[in-house]
Amino acid sequence: MSAVATASPYAAIGLDMGGSSIKYGMVDSEGKLVESTFSHAPTPAGAHPDAVAQAMAQIVADLRRTTGSELAGVPVGVTVPGIVIDGVVHSAANIDKAWIGLDAVALLGGVLGRKVSVLNDADAAGMAEVFAGAGSLDGKPRAGSTLVLTLGTGIGSAFFRDGLLFPNVEFGHLEIDGVDAESRAAARVIREENLSWEQYIQRLQRYLSHVEFLCSPDLIVIGGAVSEDHEKFMPRLQLRARIVPAQYNNAAGVLGAAHRAMDH
Ligand code: BGC
């Protein structure tokens, strides 16, 4: 047996925590997603931090088994659907409130036994889109102001100026017409309230017009599963900004999280 460890072809693991599933995958040294490692596992009911940490440990163990690699020293990037400052979570709209005030880097670093970076889910998805997806041009972030919105269980937002992220922007929680915006315009309401596209478009228009008024983006990138249906609603929205569907959709959070882990 050789005493020299074989270098891992994987540069980082990305774990993207959502209300119903944890998406995961690994990137190579060029930051490209290794497609065969991209998958998802259910988020434990209620998304309590301890249960999520155990589920993530299981995912990393599965990745070690399926790749046949120890993944020694391979860092992990994790997204959380809440405000994250210096590894500490400060809000939890759609997950267990036990996340609030929790040092997620300490918890997950301990359970996963490797270096962990933690960031907001929309910031992670936004970084993937702005650096290498729908918000980029020739492999670089587009100049100007770009707003990436993820429409899913909640509304996630990531705001960039010339590729520089302004972290933890929470435009999903703007109060519009007296209610929290994501309770009316997140994609989940389509199913929950059995909305027609016509009805959902009216809600999105009200929401996006207000957001556009507040921050005047040049480009709006729409992510989340609903962006797969972009032809049904995007052409009918009237905005000054150019609006485009996300490029990575499902994998954006995993990519952004893994890139953050590589950068650290
Ligand atoms: C949270 C955000 C998150 C978004 C999408 C919102 O409820 O407050 O932090 O990015 O949902 O998951």
Side-chain angles (χ1 to χ4, degrees):
M1 205 204 294
S2 163
V4 183
T6 321
S8 170
Y10 307 107
I13 301 169
L15 300 170
D16 181 24
M17 194 225 312
S20 56
S21 73
I22 302 171
K23 300 188 193 87
Y24 61 89
M26 290 195 282
V27 296
D28 62 19
S29 57
E30 288 176 1
K32 297 239 159 57
L33 182 70
V34 181
E35 292 284 348
S36 59
T37 65
F38 182 60
S39 189
H40 60 92
T43 303
H48 188 277
D50 293 331
V52 169
Q54 290 308 323
M56 289 183 172
Q58 185 58 53
I59 289 171
V60 174
D62 287 349
L63 285 170
R64 287 168 58 187
R65 188 174 40 79
T66 52
T67 58
S69 159
E70 273 306 300
L71 303 177
V74 175
V76 184
V78 175
T79 78
V80 172
I83 296 167
V84 184
I85 303 170
D86 294 335
V88 177
V89 180
H90 289 269
S91 72
N94 299 306
I95 49 175
D96 196 296
K97 302 295 177 235
W99 284 94
I100 298 174
L102 183 90
D103 186 336
V105 165
L107 170 74
L108 297 170
V111 173
L112 301 179
R114 55 189 68 231
K115 204 172 166 334
V116 172
S117 312
V118 181
L119 75 166
N120 172 264
D121 58 352
D123 283 351
M127 282 177 19
E129 293 297 338
V130 162
F131 281 87
S136 72
L137 185 65
D138 299 331
K140 290 201 199 86
R142 279 179 183 272
S145 301
T146 298
L147 178 65
V148 180
L149 294 171
T150 59
L151 304 176
T153 307
I155 297 180
S157 52
F159 195 46
F160 298 81
R161 178 73 191 170
D162 295 338
L164 197 67
L165 172 71
F166 192 108
N168 291 307
V169 165
E170 286 283 342
F171 284 162
H173 295 293
L174 287 171
E175 191 179 311
I176 303 179
D177 302 328
V179 293
D180 193 30
E182 73 173 23
S183 70
R184 281 188 61 80
R188 79 157 155 199
V189 302
I190 302 176
R191 191 174 24 86
E192 282 180 1
E193 298 184 34
N194 198 17
L195 297 183
S196 64
W197 281 110
E198 193 58 46
Q199 289 167 317
Y200 186 59
I201 288 165
Q202 275 179 23
R203 292 190 184 195
L204 260 190
Q205 182 67 59
R206 173 85 182 100
Y207 174 66
L208 293 173
S209 295
H210 191 62
V211 172
E212 178 170 67
F213 171 72
L214 292 177
C215 68
S216 297
D218 301 297
L219 176 69
I220 299 176
V221 178
I222 300 288
V226 76
S227 69
E228 279 167 24
D229 285 318
H230 62 94
E231 279 162 6
K232 297 197 177 112
F233 65 93
M234 258 184 219
R236 295 173 55 200
L237 293 166
Q238 289 177 9
L239 296 159
R240 194 174 51 238
R242 205 157 68 79
I243 183 162
V244 295
Q247 181 175 321
Y248 294 112
N249 196 359
N250 260 341
V254 167
L255 269 176
H259 291 170
R260 172 62 66 91
M262 279 172 90
D263 291 347
H264 281 189

